[in-house]
Amino acid sequence: PNLDSSELLLKCIDDMLVNKYNNFIFYVHNLGHYDIVFMYNILLKFNLDKGYEYYILNTTMRDNTIIKLEIRIKVYSMSKENKYRYIKISFVDSLNLLNSSLDKLTREFDIDVKKGNFPHTFVNRNTLNYVGCKPDFCYYDNFNRNEYNMIPVNNWDLKSECLNYLRKDIIGLYEVMNEFSRLIYIYFNVQMTDALTITRLALNIFKNKYYKNQCIPAINKLYLFNFIKEGYYGGITEIYKPYGQDLIYIDVNSLYPDAALNPMPGTDCYFIESFDDKGLELDNLFGFYYAKVKSNNLYIGLLPVHKDNRLICPNGEFYGIWSSEELKFAKSKGYEIKVIKGYQFNKVNNIFDSYVIDLFDKKKNSSGFLKLIYKSLLNNFLGRFGMNIIKPITQTVNKDRRDFICSTRIVHSHTILNEDKFLITYSPTISKEICTEHGLDIIKVLEKESKTNIENNLELFKDVSIATAAFVTSYARIFMHKIKLEILENGGNIYYSDTDSIVLDKTYLNNNWIGDKLGQFKLEYDIREAYFISNKTYCLILNNGDTIIKTKGVINNSLTVEHFKEMYLNNTNVTATKFNTVTNYEKASVLIEKKDVVLNYDSYTKREKIYNNEGIWIDTKPLNYNNIPHTK
C-alpha cells in the first residue's frame, strides 16, 4: 500500500524462505547485471537495521559479476539434538546457461507464452497509475510496428499491462528452463542444476558420458600453470587490406572443437633445458617451450605476442613461450627457432573425438531449440579448461578488512554496498609486490593471516587444464594460418580475418574448403564492397542489397555506410551511440541510457599501415618487433 519496493521484495523472499522451498534454486534471467543490484542492497540494509545477519548471504562470482546468490535464515528446530536449523534458497543467473534474450529463447524453444513487450521508458513516478491512450511507439524498444498497431488505443492500464508482462516473463522463463533441464537429462543423463554456467554443464556431460581414458592433465602447480599461461594466446583478429570490392566472407564450422581432435598433452610432464647454443631439438618436443625466434618477413606473422594489451603477430627477433606445434609450424615456414627450455608432455590421441563428433552430428541433424542446445554445448565446452586454477574469493567485508585485502592481494572486483560494506572478489594469494607498494612487511602479513604455506591452503579448480586449452587455441591458429598462406601463395588477397573467419577476394578459393563438415568453411556473405576500420569494426555491402555493420560495443544501427566512408576516405572520427549501463549497489539503481561515443578512424594498430600517394590507407604489414634480449 505504501509503494515501498523494499518491503515488497522482502515479503517475496520471506515467502520463498519456507520449508516447502528449502534448497530450491530460483532462476533469474540476467540476475548479475540487473536484479541482484536491487536485491543485495535491500537485504544488506535490512540486516543493518536489525543489527545482525538475519539474512545470511553467500555469493558466487564470475568475471566481476554475481552469478549466484545464496540466502539462508536460521529458524527454530523441533529436534532435540539441534535447537536451530537453516532454510536456504539460491538465485542463479540463467543467462550463463542460455546466453540469449528471453524473447529469443521463448521463440527458439517454441514456448506458448512469449515474453511480449512493454514500454519501460514510459514508466515513472507520475505514470504508475496511468490509464488512458496507449503510449507512443517511441517508448517501446525493438518492437514491430504491426504488433504495436494491434494494441487497443484506449483504456491502456499501466498496472495491468505491467503485471501481465511480468507474468509472461516468469512463466516463459520457467517453461524454457524446464524444457532445457528435461532435454539435458534425457539426452545426457546430467542434471542442469548441478552447473552454474554452460561451460560447467558441458564439462559435466563430457565427464559423465564421453571421458573414458582419464588422461587430461590437471595443471595444479602454480609455477607450471604460470609458465604455460605465458604461452596461452587467443584468436587473431587482423586487418590486411582496409577496403575491397567483390569479396567473400567464409567462416569455419566449429573451429575450436575441430582443433580439439588433434593430439593433446597427457598427464606425464617433466622440465628440460638446453645450455648450448643449438638449443633443444624441436622435432622431438611436445609441450610448451621458451624459445628465441627470428621471423622471415612473411606478409602474415605466424607467432603471437602480447604487447600493450594487444595480441600481435610481428616480424623481428623476440623471445616467448609457445606450444611446440606452433613453433614447428613457424619453423616449417622459414622461421629460425632456438628452443631454450620448457615442459615436455606425453602425446595422447582421441581425448575429445567422441564428444565433438557426436555433438556436431547432433547439431547438424537437428533444428530449433535442439540445434541451439547442441551448438551451445559444443562451442562453450573447451573454454573452461583455460580458467585460472586458483579460485578467487568473494566476500562482503567491512572497510577495515577491505583496506587490508586491497593492500595485500590482487583485487578483481570491488563494489560499494554501503558506508561500511563492500562486495569484493580477490585472489587468496598474498602478493609481495602489492605489499611492497603499500609499505607492508610480507612476513608480518603472512603471520597475521596465520598461513605458513599459502599454496597448500589454496582452493583450486580440480578440473581445469590450461595445457589443454592452450593446445586447442594453438592448433586453431595453425589451421587459420595454413588457409591464409594457401590463399597468398595462389595469388589471392586477404582483407580481414577474425578467430574463425576470413574475408578474401575471389582470385583463389579452394573448393575443398567449403562444406558442412566439421572444420570446413561455410560461405557467410557475398560482398560487393567492404570497409574495415579496426578489430570487429567493419561495414559490408552485400550483393543482395543488405548492409552488415559490426562495431564492438556500439549500437550498429547508429552507424551508416557514409560513416565508414568518412572514417576511411576522409580520415574523420565519427560519433556513434552505445547503451551505457551505470550500476550503483549503494543506491540500488541500474541506469540504462544511450550515450554518444567517438569512433577513431585511426584506432587499428596491430599491423603497420601502408598508404598510397594520395594518403589513402591501402594495405598493412606486420609490426617490426624486437624485445629485450634473453639473459640466462
Side-chain angles (χ1 to χ4, degrees):
N2 62 1
L3 299 180
D4 187 328
S5 56
S6 297
E7 289 185 19
L8 181 68
L9 186 135
L10 290 170
K11 184 180 187 309
C12 176
I13 290 175
D14 287 341
D15 285 347
M16 295 175 172
L17 283 165
V18 294
N19 287 328
K20 179 181 178 181
Y21 301 122
N22 187 29
N23 290 319
F24 269 46
I25 295 173
F26 294 90
Y27 287 95
V28 186
H29 213 57
N30 204 18
L31 168 79
H33 292 104
Y34 195 75
D35 305 79
I36 196 69
V37 181
F38 311 108
M39 294 171 61
Y40 213 94
N41 179 279
I42 291 169
L43 293 166
L44 281 177
K45 188 175 184 305
F46 182 86
N47 284 348
L48 196 63
D49 292 342
K50 278 275 190 180
Y52 68 98
E53 270 197 305
Y54 176 80
Y55 296 110
I56 304 165
L57 309 177
N58 187 36
T59 57
T60 303
M61 298 189 75
R62 291 287 185 276
D63 300 325
N64 303 333
T65 303
I66 296 174
I67 63 174
K68 178 182 178 181
L69 173 64
E70 182 183 287
I71 305 175
R72 289 185 299 147
I73 59 170
K74 185 187 290 187
V75 296
Y76 183 75
S77 173
M78 301 296 291
S79 168
K80 293 181 180 179
E81 290 80 16
N82 298 306
K83 189 174 181 180
Y84 293 99
R85 62 185 182 87
Y86 291 95
I87 293 177
K88 182 190 77 174
I89 59 172
S90 299
F91 293 99
V92 170
D93 195 338
S94 49
L95 191 65
N96 292 295
L97 286 164
L98 291 167
N99 190 15
S100 293
S101 69
L102 183 55
D103 180 58
K104 183 178 179 181
L105 289 172
T106 55
R107 296 178 193 280
E108 290 280 0
F109 279 76
D110 198 23
I111 303 301
D112 291 336
V113 178
K114 303 298 187 291
K115 180 177 172 64
N117 208 298
F118 185 74
H120 295 88
T121 54
F122 180 73
V123 182
N124 57 54
R125 190 178 296 275
N126 297 322
T127 60
L128 284 179
N129 296 306
Y130 176 84
V131 178
C133 295
K134 66 180 178 182
D136 189 83
F137 182 71
C138 69
Y139 290 107
Y140 292 84
D141 285 327
N142 302 316
F143 198 31
N144 182 283
R145 173 68 77 168
N146 292 331
E147 291 184 50
Y148 172 77
N149 292 336
M150 294 173 64
I151 301 173
V153 175
N154 298 316
N155 298 317
W156 191 90
D157 185 326
L158 186 140
K159 180 177 179 180
S160 63
E161 291 290 336
C162 181
L163 291 173
N164 184 48
Y165 172 74
L166 294 175
R167 177 180 172 276
K168 289 180 179 178
D169 209 59
I170 291 172
I171 293 174
L173 179 59
Y174 171 74
E175 294 292 347
V176 166
M177 300 306 292
N178 197 44
E179 182 67 3
F180 181 59
S181 176
R182 185 181 72 85
L183 292 169
I184 291 296
Y185 186 73
I186 288 173
Y187 288 101
F188 302 108
N189 195 31
V190 167
Q191 293 286 359
M192 174 192 75
T193 50
D194 289 339
L196 293 179
T197 64
I198 189 67
T199 55
R200 174 77 252 186
L201 182 62
L203 183 61
N204 288 351
I205 290 170
F206 170 71
K207 292 171 69 175
N208 183 62
K209 187 174 180 180
Y210 300 94
Y211 189 31
K212 307 301 181 185
N213 49 11
Q214 306 293 312
C215 54
I216 296 175
I219 309 299
N220 52 20
K221 294 296 183 184
L222 285 178
Y223 61 84
L224 179 56
F225 175 87
N226 289 332
F227 185 92
I228 297 175
K229 186 179 179 181
E230 291 296 314
Y232 180 27
Y233 309 93
I236 306 295
T237 303
E238 299 275 35
I239 296 174
Y240 298 98
K241 299 179 185 295
Y243 174 78
Q245 296 179 341
D246 199 21
L247 312 176
I248 51 175
Y249 186 118
I250 58 176
D251 191 80
V252 186
N253 298 319
S254 302
L255 174 63
Y256 283 156
D258 179 65
L261 301 180
N262 287 287
M264 290 289 155
T267 53
D268 295 337
C269 173
Y270 57 91
F271 178 79
I272 52 177
E273 182 172 10
S274 171
F275 294 97
D276 61 39
D277 292 336
K278 293 182 180 180
L280 298 168
E281 182 56 50
L282 179 57
D283 292 343
N284 299 326
L285 302 179
F286 189 80
F288 297 91
Y289 289 91
Y290 179 71
K292 175 185 177 182
V293 303
K294 184 178 181 180
S295 73
N296 60 344
N297 296 315
L298 286 171
Y299 180 69
I300 61 171
L302 300 180
L303 290 174
V305 172
H306 287 295
K307 184 178 186 297
D308 302 328
N309 296 318
R310 297 172 300 156
L311 192 61
I312 63 172
C313 290
N315 277 324
E317 188 173 311
F318 45 91
Y319 293 85
I321 297 172
W322 297 273
S323 77
S324 55
E325 307 314 281
E326 209 157 5
L327 289 170
K328 290 173 188 175
F329 175 69
K331 182 180 178 182
S332 73
K333 300 302 178 182
Y335 276 50
E336 296 178 22
I337 309 286
K338 178 186 175 183
V339 183
I340 299 167
K341 59 184 176 181
Y343 289 92
Q344 176 78 353
F345 286 81
N346 64 312
K347 186 184 297 186
V348 181
N349 295 308
N350 307 320
I351 295 179
F352 301 113
D353 290 34
S354 59
Y355 179 90
V356 169
I357 293 170
D358 189 30
L359 266 292
F360 185 81
D361 288 343
K362 281 180 164 63
K363 184 190 82 167
K364 183 178 174 182
N365 297 313
S366 60
S367 59
F369 57 87
L370 273 176
K371 189 181 188 76
L372 182 74
I373 290 173
Y374 294 138
K375 181 180 179 180
S376 189
L377 290 173
L378 185 65
N379 293 343
N380 289 288
F381 168 54
L382 294 158
R384 183 177 176 84
F385 289 108
M387 289 175 60
N388 197 317
I389 58 171
I390 304 173
K391 289 186 179 182
I393 296 172
T394 299
Q395 290 179 330
T396 300
V397 297
N398 61 25
K399 188 175 185 300
D400 289 342
R401 180 63 182 166
R402 185 279 307 263
D403 292 345
F404 179 73
I405 290 170
C406 289
S407 60
T408 56
R409 297 168 171 85
I410 296 171
V411 173
H412 302 295
S413 69
H414 173 270
T415 303
I416 301 172
L417 301 173
N418 58 41
E419 289 183 358
D420 193 50
K421 290 292 182 181
F422 303 87
L423 183 64
I424 187 167
T425 300
Y426 61 94
S427 174
T429 53
I430 293 170
S431 167
K432 181 179 180 181
E433 291 77 13
I434 293 176
C435 287
T436 302
E437 285 177 13
H438 290 83
L440 299 177
D441 185 334
I442 190 170
I443 302 301
K444 292 182 178 178
V445 171
L446 290 172
E447 290 173 353
K448 182 175 181 179
E449 293 292 283
S450 301
K451 292 179 179 178
T452 54
N453 190 327
I454 293 295
E455 186 168 333
N456 288 345
N457 286 279
L458 295 177
E459 188 177 5
L460 303 177
F461 285 109
K462 304 297 184 185
D463 49 13
V464 299
S465 175
I466 195 169
T468 301
F471 251 78
V472 168
T473 58
S474 180
Y475 282 129
R477 287 189 299 275
I478 293 171
F479 175 92
M480 294 297 288
H481 283 323
K482 285 180 177 178
I483 298 295
K484 292 177 186 178
L485 290 174
E486 185 176 334
I487 293 169
L488 296 173
E489 288 163 2
N490 287 276
N493 292 288
I494 307 169
Y495 288 77
Y496 179 84
S497 73
D498 209 332
T499 301
D500 59 355
S501 59
I502 300 174
V503 179
L504 64 156
D505 62 17
K506 296 176 182 177
T507 304
Y508 177 79
L509 179 67
N510 187 330
N511 290 328
N512 293 325
W513 295 346
I514 308 302
D516 60 357
K517 295 179 181 177
L518 187 68
Q520 286 188 306
F521 286 85
K522 56 179 177 289
L523 290 169
E524 196 74 33
Y525 302 119
D526 186 8
I527 304 167
R528 186 174 80 239
E529 189 176 13
Y531 297 87
F532 303 100
I533 303 300
S534 189
N535 308 321
K536 302 184 187 298
T537 301
Y538 56 81
C539 173
L540 311 177
I541 304 165
L542 308 185
N543 281 317
N544 65 4
D546 292 343
T547 299
I548 306 294
I549 290 177
K550 296 289 185 182
T551 43
K552 190 174 182 180
V554 170
I555 302 171
N556 292 331
N557 62 15
S558 69
L559 292 171
T560 65
V561 175
E562 293 305 316
H563 286 115
F564 282 85
K565 289 182 178 179
E566 281 291 311
M567 286 189 282
Y568 177 63
L569 296 172
N570 299 328
N571 292 345
T572 303
N573 295 339
V574 301
T575 301
T577 305
K578 66 179 290 186
F579 281 115
N580 186 49
T581 302
V582 181
T583 302
N584 190 317
Y585 278 80
E586 193 173 10
K587 294 181 179 179
S589 71
V590 178
L591 178 63
I592 303 173
E593 60 184 3
K594 289 183 178 179
K595 180 182 179 181
D596 287 343
V597 293
V598 175
L599 294 185
N600 183 357
Y601 75 90
D602 198 28
S603 58
Y604 182 70
T605 57
K606 293 177 67 175
R607 287 170 65 89
E608 184 179 340
K609 295 179 178 179
I610 300 173
Y611 300 88
N612 64 13
N613 293 332
E614 288 75 39
I616 301 294
W617 172 25
I618 59 170
D619 208 339
T620 61
K621 63 180 181 180
L623 295 173
N624 191 37
Y625 176 67
N626 292 284
N627 68 348
I628 300 170
H630 168 72
T631 303
K632 280 285 185 182

